[in-house]
Amino acid sequence: LMELTKKLLEIQTILKTVKPSESADDNGDETRHSSALQLPSIVVIGSQSSGKSSVLEAIVGQEFLPKGSNMVTRRPIELTLINTPESTEEYGEFPQLGLGRIDDFRHIQRTLHDLNMAVPETECVSDKPIELRIYSPHVPDLRLVDLPGYIQVVNRKQPPVLRQKIRDLCEGYLKQPNIILAVCAADVDLANSEALKASRRNDPMGTRTIGVITKVDMAEPDMAVHMLTQNDYPLHLGYIGVVCKPVKEKAGRTSHEILLSESQYFGRHAEFQQPGLQVGVGTLRRKLVRVLEESMRRSLSSLVDAVRSELEETRYQIKVQYNDERVSPESYMAESLDSLKQRFKAFQQQFGKPQLRAEVQRWLESRVMDVCAELYWSNPAIGELSNHVTRSRAAGWLADIRTKSAQVATTAANIVSELLAADTAKEQKGPQLNKVSAGEPTARQSSSVSGGKGKGGNNGQAASEWSDEDDAYWDHQLDRASALLTKSGVGRWTTQMVVDLLMNNVTSMIDAEPFVHHPETREMVLSFSQAILRSKYHSTVDQVENTIKPFKYEVEVEQHEWAKAQKRSGALIENEIRLCRQALTKLRSSTPKKQLQQAMQFVAMADKRGLDPIAVQVELARRNAEHSTTSPEQPPKPETSAAEPATQTSAQSTSGNGESDNDALDDIHYAQYSPRLLRRAQQVLMIQDRLSILHLRRKALSSSTCGAVENKRFCPEIFLDVVAEKLAYNAVMFINFELLQDFFFQFPRELDSNLYYGKSAQQIRDFASQNPRIGKQLVLLERRMRLELVMSRLQDLVRQQVATETGGHGR
Ligand code: GDP
């Protein structure tokens, strides 16, 4: 025989692993296929206690179903029986659980019990089927579905909807092409059989329903025969009577009781000898096998069609969505790693020693700018230093700068944020104030040109000659500056900078496709990169500190080095100027021009008195409130009347409280400025001052005096740049050797050992599936592979079938 059922059951096992296509997915129905891909099963229905389980166990020849009065079947059990004629072993398998084979049928029973009881009592039934396969030489190839029994009476614990729930669940299984096994007990009137009612709803012609009358021994034989032959509920496939329990019966006329097997029972009663009557489990089995096989045969061509169309659809999707690309989890993983290695290589190639040096130097130069801002640009004597070099006169506005320059001890890059908190000690360089020279007589001239701002020029400061004392002061300042640069932990900062740079690069490498889909991989790469760098960090820092040690005490500068640094520092100042201008533009663009100007005047007046403009504002508002109740508003005073030697008031008061404020505030006109506006005005003024100083320095640095290394005390920016260059050169030698080369060497190896070696097929698959596009593609490819396998097997079956049919005709 061609064993059609067996082969189709094998095919069904493969089909079960074919994931539903996208469209089926949308319905949220993952467990069942479109019915076209379904093969017929025998669905067993019946009321509770009708003997359903006993019949199933009799068919299998094993006791394996859970017993009990309290709804023990809560999920459908999809039972596949596989005949294994060449073996003597009998065992079961739960493919969903992956437990492997189970030889002990009591164990199977317990497992089924647990799986059923896992459905909470409040839900009572679940439509998630339990799959069970039983392999045995004693079972026929069959596919049966055991369903929860219909209940007549709902007990107290069960919700009233339960009856309907069970009905709905069964109804789903009673559709074409399934065969219905309607189990009715002989001691219950067929008219009351829930099973027959359900069967009639779904199979009104009775063409695919087999009636099973159980407990035949419970009825009088002639009554039983009547049930089996009745025509009130005609079924095309007829009724079969069974006895699934040994029957106690009196032996002859004695009062002895003997136990009769089913066949003995039927043999004993002549009523059952009637021709055409179907009785016995054996008959039932043979009938099931035949009916299922026929049903399978009828379903074959529609199954072939369904598989073909699924296959075509899958192929189409692969073509349209993925252009027939081939991919496997392994190839995807290898490519992903490759792309990362390639990116790393590209980075390695464009980040050698020269680039490292450029980065370190750039970083050190920003430190140079900080040091210059701190020790020079905010030094009230900076004008003097600059003018001495350019041999020009101090511009009148320089006096203004002097009063505030101490507040500008920050680089332009940070200016906007840092100015908010800028209250660097104002008195720090107090004595130097008097030393600042107004320069040549023309200074006064230019001060008058600059109008109201020219107070400093009229301040009567005498021009003084450059002295040895000045030289000493600026030499000392230069030493301090150099020390600030060399002794500030260059090793730690430069190493950290390079570490950050490498980590940033690694991060940007893995923040791109395809690693955005692989968060764990991303973390892993980051963590081993960190580990490599961490292991080298301290030794690198120490090496760098060692190598730059000599520069902490003395820096020798050659003229050619100086000349290069002169150019570079010019560019650095230029950059600072650019940043200042950007900050100014930003500040101005966010405030109406007129408001800003008025606020700036107000701030300038407060500044001259050394007062905090916001505190002044608060004080004035208070006074204004007092005045307005007694006298009309004061006429506005001309701005110039606010002019007064700044030193007087600032000497008297440093904050906006106390008696002495009265004098200082009397001539400032009150107007309402928001604190935000005032802060903005302050910032604009400070940046303007900074710009003035930077312009001054630019001029000084490009002068011929600054062209010569001997004059370094006048040109700290250039000198510090030379120092930065030397530090960078030496630091990089060691950072490159200790850290960078090592990192470049280890990174690809770590990548391989962490991500590639020792991965299981499942891990590689999981990795690939994290990428949604690849995951979907893999599902589709696998689906196609399985469907192709099913298709080729089906085609074999069809060919065989045709051969047997034509062979049969030939005979
Ligand atoms: P289910 O609830 O429909 O699965 O019914 P069971 O198979 O558990 O059977 C219910 C009861 O009927 C049990 O006590 C069985 O022992 C009993 N029973 C089953 N088959 C027969 C039979 O052929 N004859 C007799 N007398 N009792 C049976």
Side-chain angles (χ1 to χ4, degrees):
L1 261 161
M2 62 179 288
E3 296 186 298
L4 184 68
T5 302
K6 187 183 206 67
K7 283 173 183 158
L8 281 175
L9 286 179
E10 283 168 16
I11 287 174
Q12 177 132 49
T13 306
I14 307 173
L15 272 179
K16 280 224 152 239
T17 64
V18 175
K19 296 234 172 68
S21 61
E22 301 260 287
S23 52
D25 220 329
D26 291 342
N27 301 332
D29 186 357
E30 283 189 17
T31 46
R32 245 165 282 158
H33 297 287
S34 56
S35 60
L37 277 189
Q38 289 268 14
L39 278 165
S41 299
I42 298 164
V43 180
V44 189
I45 52 169
S47 303
Q48 270 186 330
S49 297
S50 59
K52 221 155 46 73
S53 315
S54 304
V55 172
L56 274 168
E57 287 181 342
I59 292 169
V60 176
Q62 287 281 1
E63 221 180 285
F64 67 99
L65 288 170
K67 302 276 155 55
S69 53
N70 182 31
M71 279 287 301
V72 279
T73 306
R74 298 183 179 185
R75 294 168 62 178
I77 302 172
E78 296 189 358
L79 177 63
T80 305
L81 305 182
I82 298 133
N83 178 250
T84 51
E86 63 289 335
S87 142
T88 55
E89 289 168 67
E90 290 186 80
Y91 60 92
E93 216 175 64
F94 291 95
Q96 296 157 314
L97 304 184
L99 298 172
R101 56 184 271 179
I102 304 172
D103 294 294
D104 183 354
F105 279 76
R106 278 172 308 181
H107 188 177
I108 296 178
Q109 194 171 32
R110 261 200 311 280
T111 309
L112 280 175
H113 182 267
D114 295 346
L115 287 171
N116 274 301
M117 288 305 145
V119 179
E121 200 153 14
T122 47
E123 273 177 49
C124 292
V125 289
S126 150
D127 61 358
K128 270 197 79 183
I130 300 168
E131 281 176 51
L132 171 61
R133 294 194 195 138
I134 291 177
Y135 299 81
S136 160
H138 309 305
V139 297
D141 292 305
L142 281 180
R143 212 175 120 74
L144 300 144
V145 182
D146 185 21
L147 291 168
Y150 292 110
I151 49 174
Q152 256 79 23
V153 192
V154 181
N155 82 25
R156 262 184 300 133
K157 275 194 201 159
Q158 297 159 338
V161 289
L162 177 60
R163 242 167 113 159
Q164 194 53 43
K165 262 183 120 175
I166 295 176
R167 275 186 178 211
D168 294 345
L169 171 62
C170 294
E171 222 70 357
Y173 279 93
L174 297 178
K175 303 271 176 278
Q176 285 274 19
N178 285 346
I179 294 149
I180 302 168
L181 200 65
V183 177
C184 322
D187 56 350
V188 178
D189 190 351
L190 283 192
N192 294 331
S193 164
E194 287 291 330
L196 285 180
K197 284 182 201 160
S199 140
R200 235 163 316 141
R201 277 196 300 275
N202 292 279
D203 175 30
M205 307 294 288
T207 54
R208 52 185 179 95
T209 303
I210 301 172
V212 177
I213 308 291
T214 55
K215 310 185 190 178
V216 167
D217 58 305
M218 307 268 285
E220 290 302 322
D222 55 338
M223 272 303 296
V225 171
H226 176 73
M227 278 179 113
L228 291 169
T229 53
Q230 50 74 33
N231 234 343
D232 298 342
Y233 308 98
L235 292 175
H236 188 72
L237 298 170
Y239 289 84
I240 302 178
V242 295
V243 174
C244 299
K245 216 180 159 180
V247 185
K248 280 184 198 152
E249 223 169 69
K250 286 200 181 99
R253 291 178 191 214
T254 68
S255 57
H256 278 339
E257 285 204 332
I258 49 166
L259 277 181
L260 299 176
S261 69
E262 184 190 47
S263 59
Q264 285 169 330
Y265 178 81
F266 286 129
R268 234 175 164 208
H269 296 277
E271 291 89 336
F272 298 108
Q273 263 47 231
Q274 188 179 322
L277 206 66
Q278 305 182 92
V279 290
V281 172
T283 312
L284 177 60
R285 267 207 227 183
R286 283 189 295 279
K287 180 131 194 155
L288 291 179
V289 169
R290 213 187 63 236
V291 171
L292 187 62
E293 177 118 354
E294 260 164 31
S295 178
M296 291 271 186
R297 184 167 294 127
R298 276 197 302 275
S299 302
L300 186 56
S301 70
S302 70
L303 181 67
V304 171
D305 288 346
V307 171
R308 182 179 292 127
S309 87
E310 285 281 325
L311 185 54
E312 272 164 16
E313 171 62 24
T314 307
R315 283 179 176 150
Y316 176 76
Q317 282 183 18
I318 292 172
K319 181 154 187 64
V320 170
Q321 293 174 25
Y322 299 99
N323 197 24
D324 280 336
E325 281 165 45
R326 281 161 177 272
V327 74
S328 68
E330 290 75 14
S331 72
Y332 173 73
M333 178 143 207
E335 269 169 40
S336 303
L337 277 188
D338 246 31
S339 73
L340 190 52
K341 281 189 197 166
Q342 226 115 63
R343 271 173 232 169
F344 189 76
K345 209 168 187 175
F347 168 62
Q348 191 177 346
Q349 273 161 1
Q350 52 98 40
F351 194 78
K353 213 164 146 185
Q355 287 82 10
L356 181 59
R357 204 170 139 189
E359 290 291 341
V360 172
Q361 184 149 350
R362 186 161 0 156
W363 185 83
L364 281 165
E365 279 172 346
S366 83
R367 291 284 304 140
V368 168
M369 292 292 100
D370 287 341
V371 171
C372 288
E374 196 179 327
L375 289 190
Y376 286 92
W377 303 341
S378 55
N379 187 326
I382 189 65
E384 188 188 15
L385 183 75
S386 307
N387 289 328
H388 183 75
V389 167
T390 53
R391 314 226 170 281
S392 65
R393 56 279 183 280
W397 43 260
L398 211 56
D400 263 354
I401 293 172
R402 266 184 261 125
T403 62
K404 276 176 276 129
S405 53
Q407 300 176 3
V408 201
T410 129
T411 56
N414 306 325
I415 217 154
V416 173
S417 56
E418 287 197 11
L419 278 181
L420 290 168
D423 60 348
T424 326
K426 291 176 189 178
E427 315 283 311
Q428 198 179 15
K429 281 294 145 207
Q432 293 296 322
L433 271 168
N434 300 328
K435 287 189 74 189
V436 174
S437 156
E440 295 162 54
T442 35
R444 249 157 259 139
Q445 232 179 326
S446 82
S447 76
S448 60
V449 171
S450 59
K453 281 185 158 193
K455 291 301 133 205
N458 298 329
N459 221 0
Q461 285 164 337
S464 61
E465 289 304 311
W466 194 265
S467 63
D468 286 352
E469 208 184 312
D470 289 320
D471 273 354
Y473 171 75
W474 291 113
D475 282 346
H476 171 68
Q477 200 71 350
L478 195 63
D479 284 346
R480 274 183 69 199
S482 178
L484 261 182
L485 197 58
T486 55
K487 293 180 184 168
S488 60
V490 172
R492 194 153 54 89
W493 292 116
T494 51
T495 307
Q496 186 61 50
M497 197 243 6
V498 175
V499 165
D500 290 347
L501 208 126
L502 291 174
M503 282 312 293
N504 283 344
N505 259 286
V506 170
T507 307
S508 72
M509 268 183 249
I510 50 176
D511 275 348
E513 282 280 338
F515 292 93
V516 288
H517 306 294
H518 309 293
E520 298 90 8
T521 309
R522 203 182 157 279
E523 285 311 309
M524 186 188 286
V525 172
L526 285 180
S527 89
F528 76 62
S529 302
Q530 266 157 0
I532 302 173
L533 293 171
R534 212 177 8 243
S535 74
K536 287 286 158 182
Y537 181 79
H538 291 294
S539 60
T540 310
V541 170
D542 291 348
Q543 295 267 28
V544 172
E545 282 297 334
N546 258 339
T547 181
I548 64 160
K549 208 177 235 159
F551 303 115
K552 293 182 182 174
Y553 306 103
E554 192 167 13
V555 182
E556 307 248 351
V557 183
E558 309 265 346
Q559 181 56 40
H560 69 94
E561 293 171 326
W562 183 266
K564 276 192 213 149
Q566 187 183 23
K567 272 202 197 117
R568 279 199 308 266
S569 56
L572 287 176
I573 297 287
E574 209 59 65
N575 189 47
E576 288 287 313
I577 289 176
R578 197 173 49 78
L579 290 172
C580 280
R581 286 194 179 131
Q582 273 174 9
L584 269 186
T585 313
K586 203 176 160 207
L587 280 170
R588 282 181 182 141
S589 69
S590 58
T591 323
K593 199 174 169 186
K594 192 143 181 222
Q595 269 187 33
L596 186 62
Q597 262 169 1
Q598 285 170 347
M600 280 164 67
Q601 280 168 7
F602 180 84
V603 171
M605 281 189 285
D607 268 353
K608 283 219 181 73
R609 288 159 179 76
L611 300 173
D612 171 29
I614 293 173
V616 170
Q617 174 100 89
V618 170
E619 172 63 13
L620 285 177
R622 192 184 62 76
R623 287 189 201 175
N624 197 52
E626 272 174 18
H627 277 270
S628 62
T629 53
T630 55
S631 65
E633 205 184 322
Q634 291 178 326
K637 289 182 181 176
E639 188 212 320
T640 43
S641 72
E644 213 184 304
T647 43
Q648 283 184 20
T649 45
S650 62
Q652 283 163 3
S653 66
T654 49
S655 64
N657 56 19
E659 286 289 305
S660 58
D661 286 350
N662 288 345
D663 297 336
L665 300 179
D666 267 349
D667 48 81
I668 299 182
H669 170 57
Y670 170 71
Q672 189 62 52
Y673 301 111
S674 72
R676 216 173 80 124
L677 179 63
L678 288 179
R679 266 197 298 275
R680 218 163 259 170
Q682 270 179 316
Q683 288 168 1
V684 170
L685 285 169
M686 287 174 187
I687 298 172
Q688 280 177 343
D689 287 352
R690 164 60 72 84
L691 262 176
S692 311
I693 292 168
L694 287 171
H695 281 122
L696 215 56
R697 294 307 300 156
R698 179 170 65 178
K699 203 170 165 204
L701 292 177
S702 60
S703 70
S704 59
T705 309
C706 278
V709 60
E710 309 82 67
N711 298 327
K712 61 185 180 190
R713 75 168 69 88
F714 299 106
C715 329
E717 292 90 346
I718 301 175
F719 178 73
L720 292 176
D721 198 69
V722 175
V723 177
E725 202 272 337
K726 284 174 183 286
L727 292 177
Y729 179 85
N730 286 280
V732 161
M733 276 203 305
F734 284 94
I735 294 177
N736 178 57
F737 184 74
E738 280 286 314
L739 193 73
L740 196 64
Q741 291 313 314
D742 196 69
F743 185 68
F744 285 159
F745 177 80
Q746 289 205 33
F747 184 89
R749 278 158 190 78
E750 286 290 325
L751 202 59
D752 276 339
S753 68
N754 277 289
L755 294 178
Y756 200 67
Y757 299 130
K759 291 278 165 193
S760 70
Q762 188 56 45
Q763 283 171 315
I764 295 175
R765 227 207 119 80
D766 290 347
F767 175 83
S769 299
Q770 280 184 326
N771 185 336
R773 186 185 147 83
I774 302 297
K776 273 188 191 162
Q777 191 178 1
L778 288 173
V779 166
L780 273 179
L781 289 176
E782 204 170 278
R783 184 177 163 76
R784 180 179 69 184
M785 194 262 290
R786 299 224 160 108
L787 286 169
E788 277 170 349
L789 180 65
V790 165
M791 197 61 200
S792 80
R793 293 221 189 165
L794 281 175
Q795 279 164 344
D796 282 352
L797 272 184
V798 171
R799 261 195 300 278
Q800 282 179 34
Q801 207 193 357
V802 170
T804 39
E805 273 170 15
T806 50
H809 281 294
R811 255 171 251 161

